[in-house]
């Protein structure tokens, strides 16, 4: 089973090819053995799933496999957001959770994500142990003869509905009364697990809501369930075409990522949302502490941190590292350019629902559009323009990539390289504050190229120079 590898957010595979019931059972047995060896069998595990095809069936099968190891399951009664599952871990003090989700991947994928007892994504040492156990499992022992109903009767499976508890917790963290003063808000759960989470609190507070894509669709409308600009044209058109809508909020398939549309229909990059929320939490809510961002995330966050005298933590890509800092109470907010964030006092897992509501609260309390807020922030700390592109490598370039990373040029686009950061990929920080990051995909011959500068023209020159270096 050498193809079962846990990446930054668990194991994912194409349904019917890698992602099959026999392989799923192997993974669940490995997780069960890990939990037992950690001495946490009696704590039980949460099992959840998003709205993907067969998600509930896989979750039920997982509960049957866990029962065979004497592990109690708290089985979610419907597709459930990843951050909600994280909250259940902490509330019930379980040994962790198994979540069937492929997040924002295309419709034909599913995945398994394991979160241990601290509530965040499993760290590499944990996933390496699980992988070792998977590869040592040479057969398919099935899931036992008991039906799910029998396991429920025996008390080995408890079906739970965590929605009310999660939404009640949000009420203590978000000023929904302020949000009600905005006007209309467009809501788009993208056919995913955010249904009933992203809209319900707004409706409860009499916010005018325009709701689209609010039913489960295993094809996600023909796009990957990712609230990125290129995948939500219907949503952008809705916001742009209705003057009564002042903000658009969206979540991905498992509701751990966010997408934000300003009232004029402009898509606001997650990089800028993280910086705006840091400024808001410190300036308007008086929160104190550090901030964390991944190595691929905008230095606009650094500039805001410097403005407020806030300590900055730079992490590898993967929210597990930010979640760990949240669980250690070292930061007030942590975020990634891929649209994940959380805040102090919340779960150590990215939460797109929380992010959307924090943005809505910020817009309401500040009385300005997101574009206006961003321009005000630029006037305080300077302008930052960020972009990511993917570069496909030929077999020859793929083979020589590691060597090339050992021979970084002295400058890009005529600007001297002053610092190299190697915590994840190769990040070159230039003399003018611009930077470029090369991160090799672990699954395909692709280099993810990130760059940032103070203007669009400077950024494009930097990315062109970096691309030329990779391809020559």
């Amino acid at each position: 089973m050498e193809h079962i590898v846990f990446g930054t957010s668990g194991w994912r595979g194409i349904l019917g090819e890698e992602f099959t019931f026999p392989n799923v059972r192997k993974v669940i047995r490995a997780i069960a053995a890990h939990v037992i060896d950690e001495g946490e069998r009696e704590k039980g595990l949460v099992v959840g799933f998003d709205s993907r095809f067969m998600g509930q069936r896989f979750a039920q099968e997982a509960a049957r496999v866990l029962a065979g190891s004497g592990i109690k399951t708290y089985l979610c009664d419907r597709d459930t957001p990843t951050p909600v599952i994280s909250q259940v871990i902490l509330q019930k003090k379980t040994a962790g959770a198994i979540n069937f989700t492929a997040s924002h991947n295309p419709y034909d994928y599913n995945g398994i994500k394991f979160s241990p007892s601290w509530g965040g994504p499993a760290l590499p040492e944990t996933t390496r142990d699980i992988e070792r156990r998977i590869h040592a499992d040479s057969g398919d022992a099935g899931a036992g003869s008991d039906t799910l109903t029998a396991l429920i009767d025996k008390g080995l499976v408890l079906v739970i509905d965590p929605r009310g508890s999660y939404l009640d917790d949000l009420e203590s963290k978000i000023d929904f009364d302020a949000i009600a003063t905005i006007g209309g808000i467009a809501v788009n759960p993208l056919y995913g697990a955010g249904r009933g989470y992203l809209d319900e609190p707004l409706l409860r507070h009499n916010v005018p809501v325009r709701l689209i894509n609010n039913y489960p669709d295993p094809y996600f409308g023909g796009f990957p369930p990712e609230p990125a600009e290129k995948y939500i044209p219907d949503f952008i058109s809705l916001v742009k075409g209705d003057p009564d809508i002042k903000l658009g909020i969206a979540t991905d398939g498992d509701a751990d990522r966010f997408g934000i549309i300003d009232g004029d229909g402009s898509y606001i990059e997650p990089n800028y949302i993280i910086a705006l929320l840091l400024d808001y939490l410190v300036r308007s809510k008086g929160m104190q502490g550090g901030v964390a961002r991944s190595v691929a995330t905008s230095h606009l966050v650094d500039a805001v941190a410097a403005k407020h005298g806030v300590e900055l933590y730079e992490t590898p890509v993967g929210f597990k590292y930010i979640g760990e800092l949240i669980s250690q109470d070292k930061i007030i907010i942590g975020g990634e350019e891929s649209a994940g964030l959380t805040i102090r006092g919340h779960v150590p897992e990215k939460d797109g629902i929380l992010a959307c509501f924090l943005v809505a609260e910020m817009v309401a309390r500040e009385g300005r559009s997101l574009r206006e807020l961003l321009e005000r922030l630029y006037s305080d700390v300077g302008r930052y323009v960020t972009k990511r592109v993917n570069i496909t490598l030929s077999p020859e370039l793929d083979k020589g990539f590691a060597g090339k990373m050992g021979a970084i040029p002295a400058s890009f686009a005529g600007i001297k390289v002053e610092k190299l950061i190697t915590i994840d990929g190769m990040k070159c920080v230039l003399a003018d504050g611009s930077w470029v990051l090369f991160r090799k995909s672990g699954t395909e011959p692709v280099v993810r190229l990130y760059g940032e500068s103070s203007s669009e023209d400077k950024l494009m020159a930097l990315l062109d120079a970096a691309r030329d270096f990779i391809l020559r």
Side-chain angles (χ1 to χ4, degrees):
M1 305 311 299
E2 65 278 1
H3 57 284
I4 297 181
V5 176
F6 278 66
T8 57
S9 292
W11 168 57
R12 296 175 186 173
I14 295 176
L15 281 160
E17 292 186 11
E18 309 100 317
F19 206 89
T20 62
F21 277 100
N23 283 353
V24 165
R25 284 190 283 264
K26 285 180 183 287
V27 175
I28 302 306
R29 285 197 297 272
I31 293 171
H34 171 81
V35 166
I36 291 168
D37 284 355
E38 291 289 308
E40 296 186 313
R41 187 204 304 258
E42 302 306 315
K43 293 182 178 180
L45 285 167
V46 184
V47 174
F49 54 97
D50 65 15
S51 62
R52 287 173 183 274
F53 182 65
M54 296 288 286
Q56 187 169 32
R57 281 281 291 109
F58 284 119
Q60 291 170 348
E61 189 73 354
R64 295 177 66 218
V65 173
L66 293 174
S69 296
I71 297 175
K72 181 177 182 177
T73 295
Y74 297 91
L75 179 63
C76 295
D77 66 340
R78 56 153 279 191
D79 52 307
T80 302
T82 289
V84 179
I85 293 171
S86 180
Q87 186 189 66
V88 177
I89 297 172
L90 300 178
Q91 286 180 337
K92 296 190 178 299
K93 297 181 171 54
T94 69
I98 295 168
N99 186 9
F100 286 87
T101 176
S103 190
H104 61 292
N105 278 43
Y107 74 92
D108 51 348
Y109 280 78
N110 211 325
I112 294 177
K113 180 175 182 175
F114 176 65
S115 299
S117 59
W118 60 277
L123 293 168
E125 56 265 31
T126 299
T127 55
R128 281 194 295 268
D129 180 65
I130 293 170
E131 285 177 359
R132 177 183 63 80
R133 296 172 189 274
I134 293 167
H135 301 155
D137 187 335
S138 59
D140 181 13
S145 58
D146 278 338
T147 65
L148 185 67
T149 300
L151 294 174
I152 292 171
D153 290 341
K154 290 179 179 181
L156 279 170
V157 175
L158 178 65
V159 179
I160 62 170
D161 175 5
R163 192 167 73 103
S165 177
Y166 174 84
L167 294 180
D168 288 346
D169 183 65
L170 279 185
E171 291 279 351
S172 69
K173 294 169 179 171
I174 302 293
D175 187 349
F176 286 103
D177 289 334
I179 292 174
T181 67
I182 289 180
I185 296 181
V187 174
N188 183 8
L190 270 177
Y191 312 98
R195 303 178 337 276
Y197 288 86
L198 200 57
D199 53 326
E200 173 63 27
L202 299 177
L203 295 170
R204 188 185 304 170
H205 288 269
N206 299 313
V207 178
V209 170
R210 287 289 304 277
L211 187 59
I212 69 168
N213 304 329
N214 192 47
Y215 56 91
D217 173 10
Y219 291 101
F220 299 108
F223 291 106
E226 179 180 0
E229 184 173 14
K230 61 183 176 180
Y231 298 137
I232 52 173
D234 57 342
F235 193 50
I236 291 172
S237 295
L238 172 65
V239 176
K240 187 180 294 186
D242 189 337
D244 293 329
I245 296 175
K246 306 304 180 186
L247 184 69
I249 57 176
T251 48
D252 71 336
D254 66 326
D256 67 347
R257 299 185 183 213
F258 62 90
I260 304 295
I261 310 298
D262 206 0
D264 64 355
S266 300
Y267 178 81
I268 308 297
E269 290 285 345
N271 274 303
Y272 309 139
I273 294 296
I274 296 164
L276 283 169
L277 286 177
L278 170 61
D279 182 63
Y280 172 68
L281 293 175
V282 175
R283 179 174 46 78
S284 296
K285 303 194 82 167
M287 295 181 71
Q288 297 182 345
V291 59
R293 61 152 178 81
S294 73
V295 68
T297 300
S298 173
H299 287 201
L300 179 57
V301 175
D302 306 45
V304 175
K307 169 189 172 184
H308 292 296
V310 169
E311 183 175 4
L312 178 92
Y313 297 84
E314 186 172 47
T315 73
V317 173
F319 208 80
K320 62 193 81 173
Y321 304 106
I322 292 172
E324 189 175 29
L325 292 169
I326 283 285
S327 70
Q328 295 167 353
D329 201 33
K330 291 183 176 180
I331 58 175
I332 61 174
I333 186 172
E336 291 190 316
E337 58 82 30
S338 56
L341 69 81
T342 192
I343 63 171
R344 170 178 286 159
H346 198 57
V347 295
E349 175 65 270
K350 53 184 179 282
D351 188 341
I353 303 163
L354 172 80
C356 286
F357 290 147
L358 281 173
V359 170
E361 178 188 298
M362 176 177 65
V363 169
R365 284 187 166 182
E366 299 285 282
R368 303 187 187 200
S369 71
L370 287 167
R371 282 291 177 196
E372 291 169 337
L373 291 173
L374 191 56
E375 288 300 324
R376 184 178 71 179
L377 192 60
Y378 284 155
S379 70
D380 289 344
V381 302
R383 186 172 296 272
Y384 293 75
V385 184
T386 309
K387 188 176 180 65
R388 165 186 154 176
V389 296
N390 287 341
I391 301 174
T392 301
L393 301 178
S394 67
E396 294 77 17
L397 289 173
D398 189 30
K399 184 177 180 180
F401 179 76
K404 185 160 287 191
M405 289 298 97
I408 295 295
S411 65
F412 286 100
I415 306 169
K416 181 182 177 183
V417 176
E418 285 202 338
K419 184 179 181 181
L420 297 178
I421 299 172
T422 58
I423 62 172
D424 192 341
M426 179 65 72
K427 185 174 184 177
C428 309
V429 182
L430 310 186
D432 67 347
S434 300
W435 57 267
V436 62
L437 168 67
F438 305 94
R439 284 188 70 244
K440 179 75 163 53
S441 168
T443 58
E444 54 186 339
V446 168
V447 174
R448 293 182 172 86
L449 175 60
Y450 305 78
E452 181 167 79
S453 194
S454 58
S455 72
E456 187 75 27
D457 289 345
K458 289 182 178 179
L459 175 60
M460 296 314 298
L462 174 61
L463 290 176
D464 285 345
R467 185 185 290 106
D468 289 346
F469 165 66
I470 290 296
L471 296 178
R472 69 168 181 253

